Amino acid sequence: VFIEGGVMAATYMTDYSSAAEPHAQGLDASIWSNGAHFFWIPVEGDWAEFAITLPYDTNYDISFAYTTAHDYAAYDVYFNGEKLASVDGYGTIGVSELNLGKHSYAAGTYTLKLVCTGKNAASGNYGVGIDHIIFYPEIGIAQYKEAACKALES
């Protein structure tokens, strides 16, 4: 399951608590996959939630690619209520990738939540940028065939 940052706000976001509305941003298309990323300027304590649907009952390796810049915030990443990472977005302009580990989930819709926890003392602001999130399913051939048959039936 590939969640593209440039469409996160429009396609997956269900709620947020900040005065600043999260949106897609594509200032430098060469940095981000597909030319844009999810962009948000929260303050400490603000959060944004997204509905993510996983198609299989299996383990998933989760890859989280986020934007770094001189004016980016620190935030925690939660999935299904479990804290998976603390991210410090401060750094040179670019994209960093973080492996969030392997987790077991049943097929269904889950909540991804970002919570701003502050910022690096050197950061000039509270920006948050997400390039993409990938859920790599670990399914066997039998599960794959069963899922493919169900998809063809619907």
Side-chain angles (χ1 to χ4, degrees):
V1 177
F2 181 82
I3 310 297
E4 182 184 330
V7 299
M8 280 181 71
T11 306
Y12 301 98
M13 192 167 60
T14 56
D15 201 4
Y16 64 97
S17 68
S18 64
E21 183 175 353
H23 59 281
Q25 181 186 49
L27 295 176
D28 185 349
S30 67
I31 294 175
W32 304 296
S33 56
N34 295 315
H37 72 150
F38 168 81
F39 181 69
W40 178 40
I41 302 178
V43 296
E44 190 169 343
D46 282 350
W47 51 266
E49 290 183 338
F50 309 86
I52 308 296
T53 301
L54 301 177
Y56 309 111
D57 297 345
T58 192
N59 294 321
Y60 289 86
D61 282 312
I62 306 171
S63 175
F64 184 80
Y66 61 97
T67 305
T68 57
H70 66 278
D71 56 354
Y72 273 41
Y75 53 96
D76 290 337
V77 179
Y78 293 85
F79 193 73
N80 196 33
E82 177 186 1
K83 182 178 170 183
L84 299 183
S86 291
V87 174
D88 183 353
Y90 176 78
T92 58
I93 295 174
V95 173
S96 292
E97 194 152 351
L98 189 59
N99 181 330
L100 301 182
K102 184 179 288 190
H103 304 272
S104 182
Y105 299 110
T109 301
Y110 295 89
T111 300
L112 171 74
K113 185 173 188 177
L114 307 176
V115 179
C116 179
T117 58
K119 66 181 182 75
N120 185 302
S123 179
N125 207 343
Y126 287 86
V128 171
I130 309 299
D131 182 59
H132 65 269
I133 305 166
I134 303 174
F135 292 82
Y136 294 100
E138 179 187 88
I139 61 172
I141 191 69
Q143 287 174 295
Y144 179 78
K145 285 180 179 178
E146 180 181 338
C149 288
K150 285 182 183 177
L152 289 173
E153 291 170 3
S154 53

